[in-house]
Each structure stands twice: as C-alpha cells, then as structure tokens.
C-alpha cells in the first residue's frame, strides 16, 4: 500500500507539473518521471511485460521523439498574448470552461468509483509471463498484430511525407 | 493491498489531468503530451482490470495502445513541424485557415 501511494503520488504530481510547466523540455522530462512511476505501478499489478515496454517504448522511444522535436523547433516558450502575470479570471472563456469541466470530470469519476461495488482486492494468481503473452499475440491476436505492423508502416511513411521540406512552398516564399 | 478501485481512481485522476492539459494549454507539443497522459491513464485501467480478471489480455491491449500511441506521436509531431514551418508558431489559435 505504501508503494502504491508513493508511485501514485509521483505519477499525479509529475503529470500536474507537466501541464503547469511553460517550457516544453521540462514537460517532456517530467512526463518521463511520470512514466517511471506508472511502470512501478505495473510491477505492483504483477504485469512485468507492461512495465518493461512502458520504459522501453514510452520513456525510451516516444519521449525521445518529443524531446527531439522540441529541440528541433527551438521554441521553448508558449507564444500567446497571455502573460504569466494575467490573472486566471481574465483568461479566455474556453480555457476556464475546460478547466472547470476537467475538475467536474474528476468529481464525477471519484463519486462513481467510490459508490460502485466492484469487488475490492485482486484474486491471487500466477504472474503472467512474457512467454504467455507472446504465444497469445501470435495465435489469438495474430490479425490485430499484423494490422499493427501495417499501421506503423503507414505512420512512418506519413510522418516522412508530412515533415518533408516542401520545395514548392519554399520557392514561393 | 490496494484494491481495484484505488487503481481506477488513480487512473481517473490522471485522465482528468490530461483532459485539463488539452483544454488549458495553448502549445501544440504540450497538448500532445497531455494526450499521452490520457493514454497512460487508460493503460493503467487496462492493466488493473487484466489483473483483476486474470490472464494476459490486459497487457496485450496495452501493447496495442502503445503502438497506436507511437504512431500518433510520430504523425502528430510531423504535422507540428509542418505547421511550425509555415507559421513560426505553436499556438493552435493561429492555425485558423484551412488553406494559405
């Protein structure tokens, strides 16, 4: 229980700091810390496979991509006409409404979950091994697995095409 | 031992932090990071339910969600780079024209 509160607290606090930072580099680094805490929670849930791919794929690959783009664009600060000194009540309506809606969503979810009668503790069982997951992926989930590889190929080609320097637009400028 | 409800509550809180980030921030990269927070909250739900029901299915769905998240991040960041080249800005409020 202590570990759950530790990892959960770290995940919530770092996630809050991610959306509170004004410099995207700090946001990305804090999100990596949040992913580390989530990986600890997966270990607590007896899910070593999820914990390991959380670190390798999320913290290792996706966040490096984000960091790379942040450094490539070299635009560390949010360019809005809103200064940090503007009083929160003077922010535009959509922003205030969105924040209120998010807080309401927290309230609703907490109310629903504390009033639900889901069975409390987890049943005791063996830890699911990576071998089981691999076998299941290539038998029962073989079709989604193959579709995933096509999806990644499409995303790769799409990313290259969209990020390519547009020579026609460059000549126009 | 924390119960299933504890994990679901934590996941709900993380999801709402991500939602608030999408609404409140005016920076495309931070908005994409908030979407990642939401995807991770959902992943935590999948793993918790998978542990509760037994069997590997929860973790397999997490695997698929992560693949989709990787594809989304790659394409989304490519779009961000293309937009930044045109407008020299990351504020979504500046991208109001469909064609220029």
């Amino acid at each position: 229980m202590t570990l759950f509160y530790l990892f959960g607290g770290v995940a919530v606090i770092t996630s809050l700091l991610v959306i509170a930072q004004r410099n995207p580099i700090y946001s990305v680094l804090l999100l990596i810390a949040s992913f580390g805490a989530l990986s600890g929670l997966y270990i607590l849930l007896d899910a070593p496979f999820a914990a390991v791919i959380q670190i390798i794929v999320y913290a290792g690959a996706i966040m490096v991509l984000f960091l790379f783009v942040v450094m490539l664009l070299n635009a560390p600060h949010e360019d809005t006409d809103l200064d940090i000194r503007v009083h929160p009540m003077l922010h535009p309506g959509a922003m205030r409404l969105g924040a209120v809606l998010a807080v309401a969503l927290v309230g609703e979810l907490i109310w629903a979950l504390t009033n639900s009668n889901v069975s409390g503790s987890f049943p005791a069982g063996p830890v699911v091994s990576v071998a089981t997951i691999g076998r299941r992926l290539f038998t029962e989930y073989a079709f989604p697995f193959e579709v995933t590889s096509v999806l990644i190929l499409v995303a790769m080609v799409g990313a290259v095409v969209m990020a390519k320097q547009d020579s026609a637009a460059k000549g126009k400028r | 031992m924390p119960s299933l409800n504890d994990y679901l509550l934590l996941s709900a809180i993380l999801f709402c932090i991500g939602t608030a980030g999408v609404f409140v921030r005016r920076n495309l990269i931070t908005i994409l990071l908030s979407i990642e927070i939401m995807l991770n909250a959902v992943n935590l739900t999948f793993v918790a339910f998978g542990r509760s029901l037994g069997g590997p299915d929860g973790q397999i769905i997490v695997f698929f969600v992560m693949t989709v998240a990787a594809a989304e991040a790659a394409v989304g960041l490519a779009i961000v780079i293309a937009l930044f080249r045109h407008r020299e800005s990351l504020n979504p409020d500046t991208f109001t024209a469909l064609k220029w």
Side-chain angles (χ1 to χ4, degrees), chain A residues 45 122, chain B residues 4 7-8 43-53:
Chain A
L45 281 168
F122 293 111
Chain B
L4 176 60
Y7 283 101
L8 294 183
N43 274 351
L44 184 60
T45 312
F46 276 131
V47 174
F49 271 119
R51 174 75 181 82
S52 171
L53 299 173

mmCIF file of all heavy atoms in Angstrom, chain A residues 45 122, chain B residues 4 7-8 43-53:
data_model
loop_
_atom_site.group_PDB
_atom_site.id
_atom_site.type_symbol
_atom_site.label_atom_id
_atom_site.label_comp_id
_atom_site.label_asym_id
_atom_site.label_seq_id
_atom_site.Cartn_x
_atom_site.Cartn_y
_atom_site.Cartn_z
ATOM 1 N N LEU A 45 1.124 -4.442 -10.027
ATOM 2 C CA LEU A 45 -0.025 -5.180 -10.551
ATOM 3 C C LEU A 45 0.379 -6.507 -11.164
ATOM 4 O O LEU A 45 -0.412 -7.101 -11.897
ATOM 5 C CB LEU A 45 -0.745 -4.332 -11.604
ATOM 6 C CG LEU A 45 -1.659 -3.242 -11.092
ATOM 7 C CD1 LEU A 45 -2.062 -2.302 -12.206
ATOM 8 C CD2 LEU A 45 -2.891 -3.853 -10.471
ATOM 9 N N PHE A 122 -7.610 -7.921 -5.361
ATOM 10 C CA PHE A 122 -7.334 -8.732 -6.533
ATOM 11 C C PHE A 122 -7.254 -10.204 -6.168
ATOM 12 O O PHE A 122 -6.773 -10.550 -5.082
ATOM 13 C CB PHE A 122 -6.009 -8.301 -7.157
ATOM 14 C CG PHE A 122 -6.061 -6.932 -7.735
ATOM 15 C CD1 PHE A 122 -5.351 -5.905 -7.155
ATOM 16 C CD2 PHE A 122 -6.829 -6.663 -8.857
ATOM 17 C CE1 PHE A 122 -5.396 -4.634 -7.693
ATOM 18 C CE2 PHE A 122 -6.883 -5.405 -9.388
ATOM 19 C CZ PHE A 122 -6.168 -4.380 -8.808
ATOM 20 N N LEU B 4 -8.816 -2.777 -6.556
ATOM 21 C CA LEU B 4 -9.060 -2.370 -7.941
ATOM 22 C C LEU B 4 -9.563 -0.939 -7.997
ATOM 23 O O LEU B 4 -9.154 -0.147 -8.850
ATOM 24 C CB LEU B 4 -10.079 -3.321 -8.565
ATOM 25 C CG LEU B 4 -10.538 -3.021 -9.988
ATOM 26 C CD1 LEU B 4 -9.363 -3.036 -10.931
ATOM 27 C CD2 LEU B 4 -11.570 -4.020 -10.428
ATOM 28 N N TYR B 7 -6.827 1.710 -7.968
ATOM 29 C CA TYR B 7 -6.174 1.900 -9.259
ATOM 30 C C TYR B 7 -7.077 2.664 -10.218
ATOM 31 O O TYR B 7 -6.623 3.523 -10.976
ATOM 32 C CB TYR B 7 -5.786 0.543 -9.861
ATOM 33 C CG TYR B 7 -4.554 -0.042 -9.232
ATOM 34 C CD1 TYR B 7 -4.650 -1.043 -8.278
ATOM 35 C CD2 TYR B 7 -3.303 0.416 -9.595
ATOM 36 C CE1 TYR B 7 -3.524 -1.573 -7.694
ATOM 37 C CE2 TYR B 7 -2.169 -0.104 -9.022
ATOM 38 C CZ TYR B 7 -2.287 -1.101 -8.071
ATOM 39 O OH TYR B 7 -1.171 -1.607 -7.497
ATOM 40 N N LEU B 8 -8.377 2.364 -10.190
ATOM 41 C CA LEU B 8 -9.292 3.067 -11.093
ATOM 42 C C LEU B 8 -9.378 4.544 -10.738
ATOM 43 O O LEU B 8 -9.433 5.401 -11.619
ATOM 44 C CB LEU B 8 -10.684 2.425 -11.038
ATOM 45 C CG LEU B 8 -10.777 1.003 -11.577
ATOM 46 C CD1 LEU B 8 -12.205 0.520 -11.542
ATOM 47 C CD2 LEU B 8 -10.242 0.922 -12.981
ATOM 48 N N ASN B 43 -4.181 2.952 -20.085
ATOM 49 C CA ASN B 43 -3.351 1.756 -19.967
ATOM 50 C C ASN B 43 -3.382 1.205 -18.547
ATOM 51 O O ASN B 43 -3.438 -0.009 -18.346
ATOM 52 C CB ASN B 43 -1.901 2.085 -20.328
ATOM 53 C CG ASN B 43 -1.660 1.979 -21.805
ATOM 54 O OD1 ASN B 43 -2.511 1.504 -22.532
ATOM 55 N ND2 ASN B 43 -0.509 2.416 -22.233
ATOM 56 N N LEU B 44 -3.322 2.118 -17.565
ATOM 57 C CA LEU B 44 -3.355 1.672 -16.168
ATOM 58 C C LEU B 44 -4.674 0.962 -15.867
ATOM 59 O O LEU B 44 -4.698 -0.071 -15.195
ATOM 60 C CB LEU B 44 -3.161 2.875 -15.246
ATOM 61 C CG LEU B 44 -3.074 2.558 -13.759
ATOM 62 C CD1 LEU B 44 -1.914 1.649 -13.479
ATOM 63 C CD2 LEU B 44 -2.961 3.826 -12.952
ATOM 64 N N THR B 45 -5.766 1.499 -16.427
ATOM 65 C CA THR B 45 -7.057 0.833 -16.245
ATOM 66 C C THR B 45 -7.041 -0.565 -16.843
ATOM 67 O O THR B 45 -7.519 -1.531 -16.225
ATOM 68 C CB THR B 45 -8.165 1.649 -16.924
ATOM 69 O OG1 THR B 45 -8.021 2.990 -16.548
ATOM 70 C CG2 THR B 45 -9.510 1.154 -16.516
ATOM 71 N N PHE B 46 -6.491 -0.692 -18.062
ATOM 72 C CA PHE B 46 -6.448 -1.996 -18.715
ATOM 73 C C PHE B 46 -5.649 -2.999 -17.883
ATOM 74 O O PHE B 46 -6.072 -4.145 -17.694
ATOM 75 C CB PHE B 46 -5.816 -1.882 -20.103
ATOM 76 C CG PHE B 46 -6.770 -1.464 -21.174
ATOM 77 C CD1 PHE B 46 -6.466 -0.440 -22.044
ATOM 78 C CD2 PHE B 46 -7.981 -2.112 -21.323
ATOM 79 C CE1 PHE B 46 -7.341 -0.057 -23.033
ATOM 80 C CE2 PHE B 46 -8.864 -1.744 -22.314
ATOM 81 C CZ PHE B 46 -8.544 -0.709 -23.172
ATOM 82 N N VAL B 47 -4.483 -2.560 -17.382
ATOM 83 C CA VAL B 47 -3.658 -3.494 -16.616
ATOM 84 C C VAL B 47 -4.351 -3.881 -15.315
ATOM 85 O O VAL B 47 -4.341 -5.055 -14.919
ATOM 86 C CB VAL B 47 -2.262 -2.885 -16.353
ATOM 87 C CG1 VAL B 47 -1.454 -3.779 -15.437
ATOM 88 C CG2 VAL B 47 -1.524 -2.698 -17.648
ATOM 89 N N ALA B 48 -5.020 -2.894 -14.664
ATOM 90 C CA ALA B 48 -5.687 -3.203 -13.395
ATOM 91 C C ALA B 48 -6.825 -4.193 -13.613
ATOM 92 O O ALA B 48 -6.970 -5.171 -12.868
ATOM 93 C CB ALA B 48 -6.208 -1.914 -12.762
ATOM 94 N N PHE B 49 -7.628 -3.962 -14.666
ATOM 95 C CA PHE B 49 -8.719 -4.905 -14.943
ATOM 96 C C PHE B 49 -8.175 -6.253 -15.383
ATOM 97 O O PHE B 49 -8.745 -7.303 -15.044
ATOM 98 C CB PHE B 49 -9.655 -4.338 -16.008
ATOM 99 C CG PHE B 49 -10.765 -3.501 -15.442
ATOM 100 C CD1 PHE B 49 -10.884 -2.175 -15.780
ATOM 101 C CD2 PHE B 49 -11.684 -4.057 -14.578
ATOM 102 C CE1 PHE B 49 -11.892 -1.402 -15.259
ATOM 103 C CE2 PHE B 49 -12.703 -3.292 -14.045
ATOM 104 C CZ PHE B 49 -12.807 -1.958 -14.390
ATOM 105 N N GLY B 50 -7.071 -6.248 -16.152
ATOM 106 C CA GLY B 50 -6.479 -7.509 -16.567
ATOM 107 C C GLY B 50 -6.012 -8.322 -15.368
ATOM 108 O O GLY B 50 -6.205 -9.542 -15.303
ATOM 109 N N ARG B 51 -5.425 -7.614 -14.384
ATOM 110 C CA ARG B 51 -5.002 -8.295 -13.163
ATOM 111 C C ARG B 51 -6.206 -8.810 -12.394
ATOM 112 O O ARG B 51 -6.178 -9.889 -11.798
ATOM 113 C CB ARG B 51 -4.198 -7.311 -12.309
ATOM 114 C CG ARG B 51 -3.804 -7.798 -10.935
ATOM 115 C CD ARG B 51 -2.678 -8.794 -11.026
ATOM 116 N NE ARG B 51 -2.318 -9.282 -9.711
ATOM 117 C CZ ARG B 51 -2.959 -10.246 -9.076
ATOM 118 N NH1 ARG B 51 -3.996 -10.802 -9.640
ATOM 119 N NH2 ARG B 51 -2.568 -10.645 -7.888
ATOM 120 N N SER B 52 -7.286 -8.032 -12.409
ATOM 121 C CA SER B 52 -8.470 -8.425 -11.657
ATOM 122 C C SER B 52 -9.156 -9.632 -12.285
ATOM 123 O O SER B 52 -9.649 -10.513 -11.579
ATOM 124 C CB SER B 52 -9.431 -7.238 -11.599
ATOM 125 O OG SER B 52 -10.656 -7.637 -11.074
ATOM 126 N N LEU B 53 -9.187 -9.673 -13.640
ATOM 127 C CA LEU B 53 -9.863 -10.786 -14.303
ATOM 128 C C LEU B 53 -8.945 -11.979 -14.491
ATOM 129 O O LEU B 53 -9.418 -13.067 -14.791
ATOM 130 C CB LEU B 53 -10.390 -10.327 -15.669
ATOM 131 C CG LEU B 53 -11.419 -9.195 -15.638
ATOM 132 C CD1 LEU B 53 -11.727 -8.707 -17.036
ATOM 133 C CD2 LEU B 53 -12.690 -9.660 -14.957
#
